[in-house]
Amino acid sequence: MKRTAFFISDGTGITAETLGNSLLTQFEGVQFEMVTLPYIDTLEKAHAVVGRVNDACERDGQKAIVFDTIVNPEIRETIAACQGFKIDVFESFLKPLEQELQLRSSYSVGKSHAINESSRYKERIASVNFALDNDDGGRVQQYSKADLILVGVSRCGKTPTCLYMALQFGIRAANYPITIEDLEVAGLPEVLMQHRDKLFGLTIDPFHLTAIRHERRPNSRYASLEQCEFEVREVERRLKQLGISSINTTHFSVEEIATRIMAEAGLTRRGV
């Protein structure tokens, strides 16, 4: 079954997209074509949206699913006239909250993603810069400033996890790839052991790792299954021997990896 899903907003569309995706992923028997339409902030744009939704309904032979976070009542009413199955996020959640809190919502566009908390925003940017500066063992002398240091074999997901944690949680995360040279001596490098309490390991299935490495260096020793099995086995053994927590990234998204690390390492969002 194929359905079209629209995420419509007078802001970035991130809220509608995030909530909509979370709900739609629960339905495995449906193939959704996702369409995000941000900054729908005029009646002219709203009428154009209605046309797109109606076209999708006719093409698919059934109603499109429409998630919207539109604030302006006129624009909301215009979009409500479409032929799709409409889920108004603000109407569904803000009205009950207003009743419970005995307050009226400000109904302001883009507040959840605006730079309205200067200190928290600056923390996030500083954390992203820290993650970039300290990628792949770039500046080990800065490890004293890190909240977390991810260690693992090359291409197991350290860099995207560090960047996600920086952007979403303001965590200053560095990462260090365990190389063949590192595996020629016992334990972990001394530069890491100096900050043992900040270390967290990432591991991965060797078959998955060899597929990833083949995309980068096809038919190389670096990408061979034998090499990947050796590296993963050795790093896992050393992490276990030293009592360092780790997570297998094979079947998890970067969002899941990051939040699991946050929970296991006892980290909290910076700036809250």
Side-chain angles (χ1 to χ4, degrees), residues 110-144:
K111 290 197 77 169
S112 60
H113 303 288
I115 309 175
N116 55 2
E117 296 179 38
S118 180
S119 61
R120 183 168 163 184
Y121 177 76
K122 288 177 181 177
E123 285 284 3
R124 287 166 57 195
I125 297 303
S127 296
V128 170
N129 287 331
F130 184 88
L132 292 171
D133 286 344
N134 291 276
D135 187 38
D136 279 345
R139 296 187 181 180
V140 295
Q141 68 272 20
Q142 293 189 9
Y143 282 0
S144 60

Side-chain angles (χ1 to χ4, degrees), residues 16-36:
E17 201 174 55
T18 301
L19 178 61
N21 271 316
S22 296
L23 294 173
L24 295 180
T25 53
Q26 303 303 311
F27 300 92
E28 297 179 1
V30 186
Q31 179 185 354
F32 291 103
E33 178 184 342
M34 313 286 197
V35 180
T36 302

